[in-house]
Amino acid sequence: MFTSKQKILVGVAVLVAVLLVAGSYFGSRWLFGPDIKPTPEHLLTAEPSYFTSVSRGTPSVSGADWVSELEQSFSDTDSATESDSTQIDEDLEAQLAALSDEEFTALAEALEQEETKSSKYPPVPDGFPSDLKPVWLEDYFDEDDFSNHVTMYRVLIELWNQGDHDFVNGSIDTDTGKVYPLYHDVVYVTWDSYFREGPNGEPIEVKYLSSNLGTHDTVGSFNDAGEDLFTEEEIMSGAYLTKYPGLKLVDYNSAGYHPANVLNDY
């Protein structure tokens, strides 16, 4: 009795043989005209032959023989596969049986955690910065202790999937819950102000930079300027925006991403 796979292969072989003979017949009629004698009928009905080897000079065998040989080859392959699978199952069972109760419990918990991670957290996309390893992939990870980090990495991964590939780090404001992707050319700044007396005794509000957020290298050089970062006139006139070419100063309070606006299941 042939399996489905064997029946398909036999059918294809017969079909190819018939098409070759028929193609030769009709091709000759088309090329040479109807005066050419048609192919003898016994050739059109001849059963296909099958070579057991592709080596030159190997004799062909009859249709019944090659079908039997083909069936046997499938049988041998299936038997070998089943044998290998059975051996693997037996080896695995032996290894599990050798575990102590504590080891078996630890293994079960580890497998459960891995399954939870793979289904609960998004996969890391190709090209995602290697030094931004999501916290849930760390050995020390505990969801209750690192829930804010989980949110931050989920937002960063979603931003990456949406096409933002320029950030090199991230930060989350635990008070507002907003996530800030960090870039080499961006500093998020917070302003404060105080009032001083003007020339005519009128109060004048003076703004100053109270805090900033950015990458370590950018903020480090940014803060080295200290009190000379901006003059009062530069801040009041808005000239501070162009004082450092290639560096964008972005208002901290109006920037950042609310996770609920980025994540569908937040």
Side-chain angles (χ1 to χ4, degrees):
M1 183 67 64
F2 292 147
T3 64
S4 297
K5 183 162 54 177
Q6 295 166 351
K7 290 178 179 178
I8 292 173
L9 189 54
V10 171
V12 169
V14 173
L15 179 59
V16 169
V18 172
L19 288 177
L20 286 175
V21 175
S24 175
Y25 168 69
F26 288 109
S28 65
R29 297 278 290 179
W30 181 77
L31 287 172
F32 303 111
D35 294 335
I36 301 299
K37 293 183 180 180
T39 304
E41 184 176 355
H42 72 277
L43 294 181
L44 293 177
T45 58
E47 293 190 6
S49 61
Y50 175 79
F51 287 85
T52 58
S53 171
V54 296
S55 300
R56 187 181 300 274
T58 303
S60 61
V61 293
S62 67
D65 291 340
W66 76 260
V67 169
S68 298
E69 185 174 335
L70 182 62
E71 184 177 15
Q72 183 60 43
S73 67
F74 279 121
S75 177
D76 293 342
T77 302
D78 293 341
S79 299
T81 302
E82 292 175 0
S83 177
D84 292 342
S85 177
T86 301
Q87 184 61 46
I88 292 174
D89 291 341
E90 292 177 352
D91 292 342
L92 180 59
E93 289 178 2
Q95 294 176 15
L96 292 176
L99 296 176
S100 64
D101 292 342
E102 292 78 8
E103 291 173 332
F104 187 85
T105 300
L107 176 61
E109 291 177 351
L111 292 174
E112 183 178 359
Q113 290 176 1
E114 288 300 321
E115 183 178 357
T116 300
K117 289 180 183 180
S118 62
S119 59
K120 189 172 185 178
Y121 305 116
V124 180
D126 292 338
F128 195 75
S130 58
D131 53 348
L132 287 182
K133 183 179 180 180
V135 67
W136 57 79
L137 298 179
E138 301 288 359
D139 295 336
Y140 56 77
F141 174 66
D142 181 273
E143 187 172 19
D144 293 334
D145 295 336
F146 295 96
S147 57
N148 286 328
H149 292 78
V150 168
T151 298
M152 182 189 75
Y153 280 107
R154 290 186 63 201
V155 169
L156 292 179
I157 287 176
E158 180 58 30
L159 293 177
W160 183 276
N161 290 335
Q162 291 179 8
D164 184 353
H165 297 170
D166 295 327
F167 61 81
V168 295
N169 211 326
S171 179
I172 185 169
D173 187 322
T174 56
D175 293 328
T176 64
K178 294 172 71 175
V179 174
Y180 293 82
L182 303 183
Y183 309 86
H184 283 305
D185 61 346
V186 172
V187 176
Y188 301 103
V189 295
T190 303
W191 298 96
D192 208 338
S193 63
Y194 65 90
F195 288 90
R196 66 172 177 81
E197 187 176 328
N200 300 320
E202 75 277 12
I204 297 177
E205 184 181 15
V206 179
K207 293 176 62 178
Y208 66 93
L209 193 64
S210 61
S211 65
N212 58 68
L213 171 68
T215 61
H216 178 74
D217 55 344
T218 303
V219 171
S221 59
F222 193 72
N223 289 337
D224 286 343
E227 294 180 357
D228 297 329
L229 186 63
F230 303 116
T231 65
E232 181 178 320
E233 290 75 17
E234 288 171 339
I235 294 176
M236 298 295 288
S237 66
Y240 70 91
L241 292 171
T242 58
K243 185 174 183 178
Y244 298 93
L247 191 63
K248 303 181 184 70
L249 301 182
V250 180
D251 182 68
Y252 180 87
N253 294 321
S254 60
Y257 294 88
H258 286 289
N261 296 334
V262 177
L263 305 174
N264 294 326
D265 57 347
Y266 182 73

